[in-house]
Amino acid sequence: MNSTIQKTIDFVKEKLEGAEAGHDWFHVERVWKLSKKIAEAEECSTDVVELAALLHDIADPKFHNGDETIALTISRDFLVLQGIEELVIEQVLFIIQNISFKNRGEVPQDLPIELKIVQDADRIDAIGAIGVARTFNFGGFKNNLMYHPDIPPKLGMSKEEYKKSNGTTINHFYEKLLLLKDLMNTNEGKKIAEKRHVFMLNFLEQFLQEWNVD
Ligand code: ADP
Ligand code: NI
């Protein structure tokens, strides 16, 4: 499996060349490493965890006109070519399809542990200092405002509203990032998320203090 993991790394690096800095190879590398760390304390298939972590952002629908099938096709073709068994492929594709925050309303309740692990890792990389940096980078990429005192956050948006939202970057913290710590699946994930959550609260407090010069 080690050589398959290395081939997957090379494949993902090549595919994500030039990607927005918050969804690039380095994001995937962090999620892969966090996934392995979280997996240490869980009974799971590490092959499935590693392959899913490496392939989870291979073709994010946000950057492909909303198409949610491209990532599955690319991943399946790649895994078949590597001679990976069908059962493992099915498990990996299920994770890629269901990992996303915006799909959380549609996901079946009884989730496989491998999905829970990679989802926690992906969510951890969305919070803390890295989370702040990624979020402002994405907001800049979209040319969104950093903050607007008269545009309040929209809580409880539907999947469609969330995808279309052109809100401010600061609002994204209230609409998603601050909710993540309570959505963690694993104990290790919860522990890491708790610390990063506190960092974001401090960041927001200081940001607003500095904004409101008086
Ligand atoms: P998911 O793939 O879990 O649905 P997203 O791709 O929407 O999550 O978000 C991944 C990261 O991209 C976020 O954690 C954030 O850093 C950035 N991001 C997504 N949407 C926005 C937004 N509207 N404003 C700022 N950053 C965003
Ligand atoms: Ni991701």
Side-chain angles (χ1 to χ4, degrees), residues 23 27 31 56-57 122 134:
H23 293 82
H27 161 64
V31 171
H56 85 277
D57 269 337
D122 196 29
R134 288 181 72 210

Side-chain angles (χ1 to χ4, degrees), residues 73-93:
T73 312
I74 294 177
S75 300
R76 168 173 285 286
D77 290 352
F78 172 77
L79 294 169
V80 168
L81 212 62
Q82 302 308 313
I84 303 294
E85 57 178 302
E86 181 59 25
L87 188 70
V88 171
I89 296 181
E90 289 296 327
Q91 287 173 283
V92 171
L93 296 187

